[in-house]
């Protein structure tokens, strides 16, 4: 089970950013590279090693960025608060679309 390190204030922006990278040309290239995945996991282990992160799961086909229960609701509420406060300009994705893209990304990375 995932746990947020802190209260989910402006935390949903990270999910939005991951999706924007995933949808970009460079993101599409990056997700097809096993070498990049290994490099990212090694970097995270050295500089951001947290016991709750379970980086090795990314290498075992068990990548998951979607929290469950209360944490999912916190993330959803945080995103709504950010959109209501004009954190995003112009057109931006709905929270449901972000989750759909994260699921798609997870499926690709877990192959």
């Amino acid at each position: 089970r995932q746990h947020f390190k802190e209260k989910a204030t402006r935390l949903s922006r990270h999910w939005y950013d991951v999706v924007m990278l995933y949808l970009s040309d460079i993101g599409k290239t990056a997700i097809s590279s096993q070498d990049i995945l290994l490099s990212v996991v090694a970097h995270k282990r050295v500089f951001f090693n947290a016991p709750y992160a379970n980086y090795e799961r990314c290498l075992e086909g068990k990548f998951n960025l979607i929290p469950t229960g209360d944490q999912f609701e916190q993330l959803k509420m945080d995103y709504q608060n950010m959109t209501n406060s004009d954190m995003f300009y112009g057109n931006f994705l709905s929270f449901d679309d972000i989750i759909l893209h994260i699921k798609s990304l997870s499926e690709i990375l877990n192959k």
Side-chain angles (χ1 to χ4, degrees), residues 2-19 64-84 88 93-100 102-103:
Q2 291 177 317
H3 295 283
F4 291 143
K5 186 176 177 183
E6 55 192 50
K7 189 176 176 186
T9 303
R10 296 192 179 211
L11 191 59
S12 61
R13 175 59 191 243
H14 297 293
W15 275 257
Y16 185 87
D17 291 344
V18 165
V19 170
N64 179 33
L65 279 178
I66 302 174
T68 58
D70 290 342
Q71 291 168 337
F72 182 86
E73 293 304 318
Q74 284 179 22
L75 198 65
K76 186 174 184 176
M77 184 182 301
D78 177 59
Y79 191 74
Q80 185 64 50
N81 290 340
M82 288 188 345
T83 58
N84 289 344
F88 301 101
L93 297 174
S94 70
F95 183 78
D96 291 338
D97 285 340
I98 290 170
I99 296 303
L100 286 174
I102 291 291
K103 286 180 181 178

